[in-house]
Amino acid sequence: MLGSLGLFTVLLGAALPLIDFFIVNVALPAIDSDLAAGPAMLELVVGGYGVAYAVLLVLGGRLGDMAGRRRLFLIGMAAFGLTSLACGLAPTAWTLVGARVAQGAAAALMLPQVLATIQATTQGPRRARAMSLYGATAGLSMVFGQILGGVLVAADVAGLGWRSVFLVNVPVAVLGLVLALRSVPETRSERPASVDVPGTLLLALSLVSLLLPLTEGRATGWPLWTWVSLAVFPLAAVAFYRTERRADRLGRTPLVPPSLLRLESLRRGLVMVMPFSIGFSGFMFVIAVALQQGLRMGPVTAGLALVPMAAAFFAASLAGPRLVGRYGSRVVTAGSVLQAVGVALLLFTVWRDWPGLGLAALAPGVAVAGLGQGLQLPVLMRLMLSDVPADRAGVGGGVMITTQQSALALGVATLGSLFLALIPAVGMRDALAVTLLVQLGLIALTALLSLRLPRVMR
């Protein structure tokens, strides 16, 4: 049974990788200045982590099912601390990119064990509460990462500057290891399956061939390799699906069992989390650039601009379980509507007040958007794993997080590239306005999809 301290420990492990995906957004100008990184290298600092993380998540879940989830959690936490140290000490831009890729791989070992441990050691109302807390932790981590990054860069602790956004992970990882040894029970699948090597390689090829060119294409001028890579993606994706379906039909255990995707709650939740996460990560990246480069805010001010979003998200996530008990999945629909209102309010404010935009003017829009997000993400995460059997918890969690992480990386690559490409032609204000309009479209899609969710949630 997972106690309160154990739940806190695994949620700490869930927070670290997501914080680190977003913490660098406000540190990018300082990294560029210090390491002469350039646009393409900066996008690799963000994208390299996200791609490695997304590619290896399902494999990390499978390894936890086989070798023990607590063991993999400890290995992943230790590796995350060491790779964070390597990022903080990186002498060159290429070294930093390599360390970020390794950090993403470490996160992929650690994070699937969180959901699998919760699924395997809790049930009933306790599981629903733990899943709601996980969803709240995920959303808050994404917002808090950007706030923390701004504070650390500006504080320049011991003259470390941007390096502190990575080095801060080291003592947290040590704390996580100590707590995990004392409080996290060991669990594993009763029917552990061997690693699906063909499936793993084809999934990796599919994700890399899509995410890498979209991340690097704009900054490198869309060379031939980006188009070749994008052409490979549909072929690799079809080959992956057919390989997994054949393995399932022959009685083997594929990396992503098609039978698992037949669970209605998981399938519909995955379809919804894609546009939500694309819009979320794209917004976070774009707002960081717009506030620092467009409005000339410092990293602390740019981080503080998101405090109302974090506070509203936290409040909504706490109220979510009670609201779901009363209104079911319509809470997600209401959250989409609130998020759309918040983004529309922010769009109006940007159009009216730019370039004299301040924190007070931004606060209402980001707060209402955060309130809406807090009603969606925790509920969706609870829904997606509600019907996954305990012995397949690692695989189910890996599939869910891979989808979310791929969408987060895709959001930065697509909305971020759109925003940066528009700036020279139309200026920062109009580029931001167009990007917010695209996000409104993604929110509308999420709202429509939410109407197909089962009304009653377990």
Side-chain angles (χ1 to χ4, degrees):
M1 183 64 70
L2 188 68
S4 297
L5 183 60
L7 179 60
F8 170 80
T9 303
V10 294
L11 291 179
L12 179 66
L16 278 175
L18 288 168
I19 286 174
D20 251 61
F21 185 87
F22 290 92
I23 200 170
V24 297
N25 282 349
V26 290
L28 291 176
I31 294 172
D32 188 20
S33 175
D34 190 27
L35 299 182
M41 200 66 68
L42 288 176
E43 293 199 20
L44 272 180
V45 170
V46 178
Y49 175 87
V51 171
Y53 186 16
V55 162
L56 297 172
L57 272 165
V58 179
L59 179 61
R62 174 63 57 83
L63 292 174
D65 287 349
M66 292 170 55
R69 292 148 186 160
R70 178 175 177 267
R71 178 182 299 177
L72 264 291
F73 182 83
L74 290 168
I75 292 171
M77 180 71 79
F80 193 84
L82 290 173
T83 52
S84 295
L85 180 64
C87 289
L89 299 178
T92 66
W94 273 114
T95 310
L96 177 58
V97 169
R100 283 284 283 172
V101 170
Q103 191 186 35
L109 288 180
M110 177 170 59
L111 190 57
Q113 318 317 324
V114 175
L115 285 169
T117 299
I118 290 173
Q119 289 287 99
T121 58
T122 59
Q123 54 187 339
R126 184 171 178 81
R127 178 183 293 179
R129 176 176 172 271
M131 286 303 301
S132 294
L133 286 173
Y134 175 86
T137 300
L140 278 173
S141 298
M142 292 188 276
V143 180
F144 179 70
Q146 212 140 303
I147 297 170
L148 178 63
V151 171
L152 288 174
V153 170
D156 195 20
V157 180
L160 292 170
W162 61 266
R163 298 179 186 275
S164 60
V165 305
F166 301 113
L167 296 176
V168 71
N169 293 330
V170 178
V172 178
V174 172
L175 174 64
L177 285 170
V178 173
L179 292 177
L181 286 168
R182 294 184 55 188
S183 64
V184 178
E186 181 63 281
T187 63
R188 53 171 53 86
S189 174
E190 294 179 3
R191 297 175 294 171
S194 58
V195 173
D196 174 15
V197 175
T200 301
L201 293 176
L202 284 170
L203 178 62
L205 179 60
S206 300
L207 292 175
V208 169
S209 63
L210 174 66
L211 296 176
L212 190 59
L214 288 178
T215 300
E216 284 295 288
R218 185 202 62 84
T220 56
W222 297 101
L224 179 62
W225 73 263
T226 60
W227 298 108
V228 172
S229 182
L230 287 171
V232 167
F233 166 67
L235 302 176
V238 170
F240 171 70
Y241 174 72
R242 289 183 173 176
T243 299
E244 299 299 272
R245 189 174 62 178
R246 182 171 182 272
D248 214 11
R249 193 168 57 243
L250 294 175
R252 302 170 190 157
T253 306
L255 187 70
V256 180
S259 56
L260 199 63
L261 298 179
R262 285 197 286 271
L263 295 173
E264 185 181 22
S265 55
L266 178 62
R267 186 176 66 252
R268 291 190 175 180
L270 290 176
V271 171
M272 278 195 65
V273 86
M274 282 290 290
F276 177 89
S277 298
I278 289 171
F280 192 105
S281 64
F283 171 81
M284 296 296 284
F285 177 80
V286 165
I287 203 71
V289 175
L291 295 182
Q292 289 190 93
Q293 296 184 11
L295 298 180
R296 303 299 176 189
M297 291 184 180
V300 171
T301 308
L304 289 176
L306 297 175
V307 169
M309 176 178 282
F313 188 104
F314 182 66
S317 63
L318 290 180
R322 185 173 68 254
L323 293 172
V324 167
R326 185 170 181 181
Y327 300 108
S329 63
R330 292 299 173 261
V331 171
V332 179
T333 308
S336 300
V337 173
L338 279 173
Q339 186 187 3
V341 170
V343 172
L345 185 58
L346 186 60
L347 174 61
F348 172 75
T349 305
V350 166
W351 191 263
R352 182 191 62 188
D353 295 343
W354 191 279
L357 202 54
L359 295 185
L362 289 168
V366 296
V368 175
L371 192 67
Q373 290 162 347
L375 291 176
Q376 293 174 81
L377 187 60
V379 178
L380 279 176
M381 289 188 164
R382 172 180 162 186
L383 168 75
M384 281 187 276
L385 296 181
S386 59
D387 296 323
V388 175
D391 65 339
R392 303 175 92 179
V395 178
V399 170
M400 185 191 79
I401 304 166
T402 297
T403 303
Q404 182 196 25
Q405 185 61 39
S406 300
L408 290 174
L410 197 57
V412 174
T414 54
L415 293 186
S417 294
L418 172 66
F419 172 68
L420 295 173
L422 285 173
I423 292 173
V426 301
M428 185 77 73
R429 184 195 72 167
D430 290 0
L432 178 57
V434 171
T435 310
L436 290 174
L437 283 171
V438 173
Q439 192 191 4
L440 277 174
L442 292 169
I443 296 169
L445 176 59
T446 307
L448 290 173
L449 291 170
S450 72
L451 298 176
R452 294 176 54 82
L453 293 176
R455 182 66 183 267
V456 178
M457 296 183 58
R458 290 191 286 129

